[in-house]
Amino acid sequence: MTATKKHLVVLVTCGTASEADRIARELVAKRLAACVNIWESPVRSIYRWKGRMETAPEHLLLIKTTQSRLAELQRRIRELHNYDVPEVIALPIIGGSPEYLAWLDESVRKKETAKK
């Protein structure tokens, strides 16, 4: 198992399955995430919002990315998300298989633009 500080799992909750799917597809298409798992069954979230306790079903995204792509990933989530304050929590991956982590790196690497 390889130790790492540059790989992340980012947690994001969405209000609907269609929003979760749309965000996940966009993040992978733009190479901001190597993989996004969508928790198919809603999770039940209990939280305080505007001074009141709320409960809501939400769909959880588990996003695999790198530290170098995090700022752009957060910016894109804010643009795509319908919440005023979307949850974006980045957790470090402290280890993993070298092959998987190499694939993760390659999957989020920005494509080189051809020089003219």
Side-chain angles (χ1 to χ4, degrees):
M1 184 162 343
T2 300
T4 176
K5 291 185 180 178
K6 70 177 186 173
H7 300 101
L8 305 170
V9 172
V10 179
L11 307 176
V12 174
T13 52
C14 299
T16 67
S18 61
E19 179 179 48
D21 187 73
R22 181 174 49 82
I23 290 172
R25 289 178 183 280
E26 174 75 9
L27 296 178
V28 173
K30 298 292 185 184
R31 301 180 77 88
L32 296 171
C35 174
V36 179
N37 303 112
I38 302 172
W39 201 286
E40 286 293 326
S41 296
V43 296
R44 185 168 54 103
S45 297
I46 300 171
Y47 55 95
R48 187 168 302 283
W49 181 248
K50 297 185 178 181
R52 294 180 45 194
M53 187 169 310
E54 303 283 345
T55 302
E58 295 183 297
H59 297 271
L60 179 62
L61 302 180
L62 303 171
I63 303 165
K64 275 68 82 181
T65 193
T66 58
Q67 184 69 44
S68 65
R69 300 297 273 154
L70 182 59
E72 192 174 346
L73 180 131
Q74 289 176 306
R75 181 188 59 75
R76 193 68 185 122
I77 288 169
R78 280 193 302 274
E79 292 171 357
L80 294 168
H81 212 289
N82 70 0
Y83 288 177
D84 292 339
V85 182
E87 173 185 354
V88 181
I89 298 174
L91 306 171
I93 297 173
I94 60 169
S97 72
E99 299 84 4
Y100 182 85
L101 297 176
W103 169 81
L104 195 163
D105 287 334
E106 178 60 30
S107 296
V108 299
R109 187 169 290 126
K110 291 182 184 179
K111 292 249 183 196
E112 299 281 330
T113 55
K115 294 184 180 184
K116 296 182 180 182

